[in-house]
Amino acid sequence: MTTFVRVVETGSFSAVAREIGTTQPTISKQIAALEEYLDIQLLIRSTRSLRLTDEGERFYEHCRQVIEAVTVAEASVGKRVKPSGLLRVNCPVSFGHFVIMPLMKSFLMRYPEIKIDLTMSDQFIDLVETGVDVAIRIGDVRDTALISKRIGITRRITVATNDYFQQAGEPQTPSDLIQHNCIVYTQLLTGNEWYFQRQTETIKVRVNGNFQANNSTAIREAVLAGIGIAVSPVWLFGDVINTDKLKSILPDYEPTPLPIYAMYRRTRFTPIKVQCFIDFLNTEFQINPWVSDYGHGETVVG
């Protein structure tokens, strides 16, 4: 039933095979055996797609209810059950490198029966289609099909190399950035509009430059190469801030912070392995000055 549900959700035998570490023919045989047992055709297969038959649609809905009922039954005795199983996690590339990965050894030592499958991408993914259990997302959340829990905040800084400032001068106010070559991270909805906070005042500046990228690693490399100025998460440059190489400027004007959310699928009960991972990150983030939300995290049900 679980295999059948995942085939329907992903639309691919191969994708499910990769998820559970087996082969496409094995998944195909499992579905064929299920159809033979039920004596009905569940899926109509073509070279390019899969679609449910009418009987398959009804069976799929029942399977989802059965699987959820099993999850609820296990959760009812959750305090006696050790967190275990494969946990699929997705997060942005640089955030995974600088923040998530340093925590993985500690998490796996605490929960030795959990196995982590980490994928990193700066693109938002479909959790159901990809089979991801938890996605870490930075910025405002608009996916109402998921449940989100705020677990931290990304404070940002305005940075460039000392060499760049020696050649182009150092901005003294956000409006001075208009005269500079600014590096834009295109994954943010605000694009080339940068927002700064000074006490209760919010300042918006529309910047321009000759380089932009949809990957924060590329932004880091562009800044360190001396191409221009960027507004970036403090964790992206935490190892080189205010060294001979890099300088943080505009201390009186803080770029608007971005919330960090743990996103997971909407079910009647959150799987124990998912809850353990989210709670672990929430605790660790509160003692990390790069992402600390000072205990003001909140759960948002979309």
Side-chain angles (χ1 to χ4, degrees), residues 1-227:
M1 282 186 177
T2 302
T3 299
F4 170 64
V5 167
R6 290 302 298 144
V7 167
V8 174
E9 291 174 340
T10 63
S12 168
F13 285 9
S14 298
V16 178
R18 287 192 297 271
E19 281 186 8
I20 62 178
T22 187
T23 63
Q24 185 271 339
T26 298
I27 299 299
S28 181
K29 289 178 181 177
Q30 286 186 18
I31 299 302
L34 182 60
E35 289 179 321
E36 182 177 356
Y37 171 76
L38 296 171
D39 195 25
I40 57 171
Q41 183 177 7
L42 297 172
L43 295 166
I44 298 174
R45 306 161 179 80
S46 70
T47 55
R48 294 187 177 181
S49 65
L50 297 171
R51 65 183 180 88
L52 287 167
T53 63
D54 291 342
E55 293 84 357
E57 184 72 44
R58 290 196 297 272
F59 187 66
Y60 167 69
E61 292 301 327
H62 284 298
C63 284
R64 288 183 57 190
Q65 294 173 20
V66 168
I67 293 170
E68 185 171 336
V70 171
T71 301
V72 172
E74 291 176 345
S76 69
V77 291
K79 291 184 178 179
R80 303 176 211 169
V81 177
K82 290 184 178 180
S84 62
L86 181 64
L87 181 67
R88 298 180 177 88
V89 180
N90 176 267
C91 67
V93 177
S94 294
F95 190 75
H97 176 75
F98 288 104
V99 180
I100 298 297
M101 280 308 302
L103 300 174
M104 284 300 92
K105 182 178 179 180
S106 176
F107 177 79
L108 292 171
M109 289 180 65
R110 184 176 302 180
Y111 301 105
E113 295 186 34
I114 292 180
K115 295 182 179 180
I116 295 288
D117 179 357
L118 177 65
T119 58
M120 296 192 292
S121 170
D122 285 349
Q123 306 293 327
F124 282 177
I125 63 167
D126 186 314
L127 270 65
V128 174
E129 182 177 332
T130 58
V132 165
D133 298 300
V134 184
I136 308 302
R137 294 182 177 173
I138 299 172
D140 292 332
V141 173
R142 296 187 177 183
D143 193 339
T144 59
L146 301 174
I147 295 177
S148 61
K149 179 174 181 178
R150 180 165 164 165
I151 57 175
I153 195 165
T154 286
R155 288 180 170 80
R156 299 187 292 166
I157 51 175
T158 309
V159 292
T161 60
N162 289 311
D163 288 344
Y164 174 84
F165 291 131
Q166 289 174 6
Q167 295 174 11
E170 181 179 325
Q172 300 302 308
T173 66
S175 60
D176 292 341
L177 292 168
I178 297 172
Q179 308 302 323
H180 285 263
N181 198 48
C182 294
I183 301 168
V184 174
Y185 178 54
T186 58
Q187 283 296 99
L188 290 181
L189 295 176
T190 52
N192 68 334
E193 291 183 345
W194 290 357
Y195 291 80
F196 299 85
Q197 295 177 343
R198 187 183 188 188
Q199 297 177 350
T200 59
E201 180 185 13
T202 298
I203 302 167
K204 180 178 75 172
V205 180
R206 185 180 293 273
V207 301
N208 291 286
N210 61 7
F211 182 82
Q212 62 183 26
N214 69 345
N215 181 286
S216 52
T217 300
I219 299 295
R220 174 184 163 96
E221 294 303 315
V223 169
L224 293 178
I227 290 177

